[in-house]
Amino acid sequence: MKHGGESYMYKTLIAAVLGVALAFSGAGRAEAKTTFITIGTGGITGVYYPTGGAIAKIVNAKKDKYNIRATVESTGASVFNINAIMSGDLEFGIAQADRQYQAYNGLSEWEGKPQKDLRAVFALAPEAVTFVAAEDAGIKTLADAKGKVINLGNPGSGNRQNAIDVLQAAGINIEKDLKGEGIKAADAPRMVQDGRIDGFFYTVGHPNGNIKEATAGKRKCRIVSIPDIAPLTKAFPYYSLTHIDMSQYPEATNKDEDVTTVGMLATLVTSAKVPDDVVYAVTKEIFENLDEFKKLHPALAGLTREGMLEGLTAPLHPGAEKYYKEAGLIK
Ligand code: GLU
């Protein structure tokens, strides 16, 4: 009995000591609570995925200062990212500027459902609506896409609607005039090379590994110019003329051509529900480490602080705004 009583006493003492220790470490943890943020990107062969990785790398380097731990998720891209941010599944995401505009204003996929909590953070690299087509399919212009099997893009991507807009402007009905596929951009180069599709659309920054893969294969491919963009820029405020630097794709059959098309900026977006200090930290770290950030992917090389405030149609997140005011970038 005595023995048992002693052991009980010891146990109580140990439990008390442990309890105090746990309470202290618990309090310690609460003070240095890590905020986890996930950035939605796109397919792993795109530019969004490495760009998200570059943002995470720079933010995580300051873990001691902000206690933010950023991770990246490969997703279906723009439309998926916006919807996942709005439902609270992601804190940040990369989205085409046209998709940001449509979501905030209740257009396209968000017809009648404006996403009023969507917030802009900053713009990234420009993207170009890129139409890759197999030479043996005889596609030299948009009109030649008639009767062919063309990948327009997966639902959830930004580029699917761009493909539809561009084809429609050229008088091509995607239901009647061609066989439109809905596969992910990451799978498209292989499908072209295997002869299962004649071409594909990808709205992406350049240079891009996916387009390199498609143009460097055995089945020769070109990047089809979309020269007549006036109907598009007139109808849609977010499209603008852009050039694809063909020196980046030396194995494309039309490597010496001046390829023009429509494009827009890629942007980083978030939700009004994401705390100001988190968005402030992300914004500040990217702007103050811009030289390092630009080196993390060749498509980011042309970024400028001023350019990164363009193409933002949703309201700026207050956390980003605070940094831009401090940095004298806005009034
Ligand atoms: N612009 C593409 C889209 O949102 C994604 C491009 C990328 O992943 O780099 O559909």
Side-chain angles (χ1 to χ4, degrees), residues 33 111 155 245 269 288:
K33 202 168 153 274
E111 187 72 56
D245 173 3
V269 290
E288 303 208 333

Side-chain angles (χ1 to χ4, degrees), residues 53-260:
I55 295 172
K57 185 172 187 237
I58 287 182
V59 171
N60 289 338
K62 292 286 172 63
K63 172 90 172 53
D64 288 349
K65 186 169 176 195
Y66 302 110
N67 251 304
I68 295 175
R69 169 96 196 129
T71 50
V72 167
E73 199 172 295
S74 168
T75 70
S78 295
V79 174
F80 178 96
N81 294 342
I82 291 173
N83 290 338
I85 291 168
M86 293 296 89
S87 66
D89 291 331
L90 292 173
E91 285 72 38
F92 291 89
I94 307 180
Q96 294 173 198
D98 51 330
R99 298 323 211 141
Q100 183 190 134
Y101 178 90
Q102 292 162 347
Y104 187 75
N105 293 296
L107 304 167
S108 191
E109 271 92 341
W110 302 275
E111 187 72 56
K113 290 177 286 179
Q115 304 297 307
K116 289 298 175 200
D117 271 352
L118 188 67
R119 293 291 176 271
V121 185
F122 48 73
L124 291 153
E127 296 186 87
V129 178
T130 309
F131 181 24
V132 178
E135 209 57 52
D136 62 17
I139 305 172
K140 290 202 163 49
T141 66
L142 269 181
D144 298 329
K146 270 193 183 162
K148 302 287 167 17
V149 186
I150 306 290
N151 186 40
L152 307 172
N154 59 293
S157 71
N159 56 269
R160 189 175 169 84
Q161 190 60 44
N162 303 142
I164 296 170
D165 288 347
V166 161
L167 287 165
Q168 262 170 5
I172 298 172
N173 182 311
I174 60 140
E175 310 282 326
K176 289 192 217 126
D177 300 332
L178 53 76
K179 183 163 183 323
E181 296 287 354
I183 58 168
K184 287 188 288 186
D187 297 329
R190 202 176 48 242
M191 300 263 294
V192 171
Q193 288 305 323
D194 289 351
R196 284 185 284 167
I197 56 175
D198 298 308
F200 68 91
F201 280 87
Y202 195 17
T203 303
V204 73
H206 294 282
N208 164 248
N210 172 300
I211 308 294
K212 275 193 187 152
E213 185 189 339
T215 52
K218 238 186 163 159
R219 193 179 185 200
K220 289 287 154 210
C221 288
R222 70 168 50 225
I223 301 178
V224 180
S225 221
I226 303 170
D228 184 19
I229 66 149
L232 284 163
T233 50
K234 229 181 259 162
F236 308 105
Y238 36 74
Y239 284 137
S240 61
L241 173 76
T242 182
H243 292 255
I244 297 176
D245 173 3
M246 292 300 287
S247 71
Q248 297 166 332
Y249 305 106
E251 287 165 286
T253 49
N254 62 331
K255 64 173 171 29
D256 298 321
E257 244 175 56
D258 176 25
V259 173
T260 59

